[in-house]
Amino acid sequence: MLNIVVMVSGGGTNLQAIIDAIDAGVITDTRIAAVISNNEDAYALERAKKAGIPAVCVSRKEIPDRAAYNQALLAAVEDAGADLIVLAGFLVVIPTEMIQKYRNRIINIHPSLIPSFCGTGFYGLKVHEGALARGVKLTGATVHFVDEGTDTGPIILQKAVAVEDGDTPEILQRRVMEEAEWKLLPQAIDLIAHHRVSVVDGRTIIREAE
Ligand code: GAR
C-alpha cells in the first residue's frame, strides 16, 4: 500500500481527481494519508474533510521564519508516513531538505508541456496566459518528479491539449484540467504504486504492466 501525502494551496480539483480515482479503483494499492495546505482558506481542505482524510494547514502566517516553516512542512509529511508526496497545485517552494530526503518520491502536476511555459513565475493561470500570448496551438500538462530546480525534474507523463480560437486563460485552464491533469495525475500515482516508474540518468522509464 502506497501512502501518499497531497500538498495543496487552492481549489483542489486535482486532489478531488485523486480521491475519485481511488474510489473508482482507477488508482489501486494507494491511500491518501494526509492533505497538507499552506493556505487555511484552501477549498482543497474542505474536499479532504468531506472525504474523511486528515487535513492540516501549515501556514506561513503562523510560522514567518522560513527555516522553521520548512521544518514544520517536513514534520507534517513525516508524521503522515508519506511514501510519495504529490504536489497538486502547491504554490510554496519545496525545501531542499525535503527534496533530498524524498528524492524521486515527490511528484508535481504542471499545466503545460514542459519545457514550455514553466519555471519561476509560471503557475496557475499565468501558464495559460503565457501559452495564449505566444499563440501556441497545442499545450497540455506534465507530471514530473521534483528536483532542486523549478519544473526541471524527470518527466513521468505528458498529454497534449488543443488551444482553440477564442480561448481565454480560464477556458484553456479548464480544458487542460479536464482533458489532461485530472487523468495524468491519477495515472502517474497508480504507475508509482505499482513500481512501474524508474529514473535513469535524469529520465524516467515506464515499465509495461504485467
Ligand atoms: C492546477 O492547474 C495545477 O496544474 C497548477 O495549479 C492548479 C491547481 O488547481 N499547478 C501549477 O501551476 C504548479 N506550477 P487545483 O487546486 O484545482 O488542483
Side-chain angles (χ1 to χ4, degrees), residues 5-90:
V5 167
V6 184
M7 302 183 76
V8 294
S9 298
T13 65
N14 279 286
L15 167 66
Q16 192 65 54
I18 298 166
I19 294 170
D20 294 347
I22 291 174
D23 284 349
V26 171
I27 302 174
T28 56
D29 299 322
T30 299
R31 64 184 278 272
I32 305 177
V35 169
I36 298 172
S37 174
N38 64 307
N39 168 14
E40 62 191 354
D41 298 323
Y43 185 65
L45 288 172
E46 289 302 312
R47 294 181 190 272
K49 282 176 202 149
K50 278 185 196 155
I53 299 163
V56 290
C57 179
V58 184
S59 163
R60 256 330 267 286
K61 269 191 253 165
E62 278 159 35
I63 316 175
D65 177 68
R66 185 77 215 193
Y69 185 76
N70 287 350
Q71 278 308 316
L73 267 190
L74 188 59
V77 163
E78 292 188 331
D79 286 351
D83 299 316
L84 178 72
I85 299 167
V86 179
L87 308 183
F90 188 62

Side-chain angles (χ1 to χ4, degrees), residues 6-172:
V6 184
M7 302 183 76
V8 294
S9 298
T13 65
N14 279 286
L15 167 66
Q16 192 65 54
I18 298 166
I19 294 170
D20 294 347
I22 291 174
D23 284 349
V26 171
I27 302 174
T28 56
D29 299 322
T30 299
R31 64 184 278 272
I32 305 177
V35 169
I36 298 172
S37 174
N38 64 307
N39 168 14
E40 62 191 354
D41 298 323
Y43 185 65
L45 288 172
E46 289 302 312
R47 294 181 190 272
K49 282 176 202 149
K50 278 185 196 155
I53 299 163
V56 290
C57 179
V58 184
S59 163
R60 256 330 267 286
K61 269 191 253 165
E62 278 159 35
I63 316 175
D65 177 68
R66 185 77 215 193
Y69 185 76
N70 287 350
Q71 278 308 316
L73 267 190
L74 188 59
V77 163
E78 292 188 331
D79 286 351
D83 299 316
L84 178 72
I85 299 167
V86 179
L87 308 183
F90 188 62
L91 300 180
V92 173
V93 174
I94 298 299
T96 309
E97 195 183 341
M98 195 186 290
I99 294 169
Q100 287 168 348
K101 213 156 189 176
Y102 288 83
R103 176 81 55 202
N104 296 334
R105 290 194 296 146
I106 308 176
I107 63 173
N108 178 50
I109 178 93
H110 182 77
S112 75
L113 293 174
I114 288 174
S116 290
F117 311 112
C118 64
T120 306
F122 281 110
Y123 58 90
L125 267 187
K126 292 184 192 298
V127 178
H128 306 291
E129 286 165 4
L132 290 175
R134 182 62 183 85
V136 293
K137 303 297 181 193
L138 272 182
T139 183
T142 302
V143 181
H144 64 94
F145 286 114
V146 171
D147 67 7
E148 282 78 356
T150 305
D151 303 325
T152 53
I155 290 169
I156 304 168
L157 294 172
Q158 292 189 296
K159 189 168 190 289
V161 173
V163 178
E164 293 176 11
D165 290 347
D167 272 353
T168 63
E170 291 79 8
I171 292 170
L172 184 57

